[in-house]
């Protein structure tokens, strides 16, 4: 649902999965499912993507991903959970920042910061949605261009992360991937629901509900 219009709802999934599977293992378990949903999003919105904005993000995003791989290797699961919680709460702050429609800088420095934070947060907890939403909105992209560009960004980054999860963190295995395949029908249902529900829910009330729910979920993860 998050990949086809309900941007930010994935922030609720991350702490729940971390509580069930463990913080670090959950990041690898979620990744193939996110890629499946990314493919649908790209298929639906690909013609609207603005690739010039993606090119600016490549160096800093890759740097952020590798820094996160290093950090994830040197902290225990409890520290990983707390770091993930801090990232999620930071995402809530960004959501509120966006809700207030605050002025955001539009330059190469902001793109580099957004790329690094996006790479780091997506590797640590698949939690880069709020950061990248701010960036793409700051570029003043029309609605469809925003969704299409973000879809391509996350598909490319998530595919880039797969070998790192397999060979470095070892959080993706054949067993976890088999379970991902079993869940594919539900991912397809989520894609369809996301496309339809996005047209029905008023943006303001939904974002307030999402912010409150995400804060509670992050606090549960932290403690």
């Amino acid at each position: 649902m998050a990949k086809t219009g309900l941007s930010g709802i994935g922030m609720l999934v991350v702490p729940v999965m971390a509580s069930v599977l463990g913080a670090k293992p959950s990041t690898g378990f979620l990744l193939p499912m996110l890629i499946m949903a990314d493919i649908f999003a790209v298929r639906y919105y690909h013609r609207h993507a603005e690739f010039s904005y993606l090119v600016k993000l490549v160096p800093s995003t890759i740097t952020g991903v590798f820094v996160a791989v290093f950090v994830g290797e040197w902290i225990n699961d409890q520290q990983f959970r707390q770091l993930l919680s801090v990232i999620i709460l930071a995402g809530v702050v960004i959501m509120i920042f966006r809700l207030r429609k605050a002025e955001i800088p539009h330059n190469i420095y902001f793109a580099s910061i957004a790329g690094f934070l996006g790479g780091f947060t997506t590797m640590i907890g698949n939690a880069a949605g709020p950061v990248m939403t701010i960036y793409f909105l700051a570029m003043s992209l029309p609605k469809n261009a925003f969704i299409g560009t973000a879809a391509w960004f996350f598909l490319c980054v998530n595919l880039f992360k797969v070998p790192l999860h397999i060979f470095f963190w070892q959080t993706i295995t054949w067993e976890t991937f088999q379970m991902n395949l079993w869940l594919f029908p539900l991912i397809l249902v989520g894609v369809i629901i996301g496309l339809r529900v996005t047209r029905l829910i008023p943006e303001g009330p939904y974002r307030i509900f999402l912010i409150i729910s995400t804060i509670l979920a992050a606090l549960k993860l932290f403690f």
Side-chain angles (χ1 to χ4, degrees):
M1 292 171 64
K3 297 294 186 177
T4 51
L6 298 178
S7 177
I9 200 171
M11 295 287 285
L12 297 175
V13 177
V14 172
V16 172
M17 294 301 293
S19 296
V20 174
L21 299 175
K24 192 172 182 179
S26 70
T27 61
F29 181 81
L30 279 172
L31 184 57
M33 294 192 290
L34 294 175
I35 292 173
M36 294 175 193
D38 286 328
I39 291 172
F40 282 107
V42 166
R43 177 66 184 85
Y44 196 83
Y45 293 105
H46 71 93
R47 64 185 179 277
H48 302 291
E50 297 285 349
F51 291 99
S52 60
Y53 294 105
L54 296 178
V55 172
K56 298 177 183 178
L57 295 169
V58 171
S60 57
T61 300
I62 292 176
T63 302
V65 168
F66 280 117
V67 170
V69 171
F70 176 80
V71 171
E73 286 284 355
W74 288 95
I75 58 178
N76 60 39
D77 191 67
Q78 179 61 27
Q79 292 170 327
F80 197 101
R81 286 165 61 90
Q82 292 176 348
L83 177 59
L84 181 55
S85 180
V86 170
I87 288 172
I88 293 172
L89 289 173
V92 173
V93 173
I94 292 174
M95 288 179 183
I96 296 172
F97 187 73
R98 178 187 172 192
L99 194 65
R100 291 169 59 86
K101 295 179 171 58
E103 189 67 25
I104 298 171
H106 190 159
N107 53 49
I108 189 62
Y109 301 106
F110 178 64
S112 298
I113 293 172
F116 178 83
L117 292 177
F120 185 86
T121 54
T122 191
M123 187 68 200
I124 285 292
N126 297 310
V131 174
M132 301 318 300
T133 294
I134 288 295
Y135 172 73
F136 289 126
L137 285 179
M139 300 301 103
S140 302
L141 295 176
K143 178 182 176 181
N144 286 343
F146 163 75
I147 298 174
T149 306
W152 270 109
F153 173 84
F154 283 110
L155 176 61
C156 293
V157 172
N158 285 337
L159 288 173
F160 179 76
K161 288 156 50 182
V162 169
L164 300 175
H165 275 279
I166 294 175
F167 298 111
F168 287 89
W169 284 3
Q170 299 179 345
T171 51
I172 296 179
T173 65
W174 174 241
E175 288 74 18
T176 62
F177 184 65
Q178 284 180 305
M179 187 166 289
N180 294 149
L181 293 177
W182 277 105
L183 293 171
F184 175 77
L186 295 177
I187 296 172
L188 181 58
V189 171
V191 166
I192 296 171
I193 293 175
L195 290 171
R196 295 185 177 182
V197 172
T198 301
R199 305 186 186 102
L200 301 177
I201 302 178
E203 183 174 351
Y206 172 74
R207 293 191 182 283
I208 293 173
F209 165 78
L210 184 60
I211 290 170
I212 295 173
S213 300
T214 304
I215 291 174
L216 294 176
L219 290 175
K220 178 182 183 300
L221 181 65
F222 190 82
F223 294 107

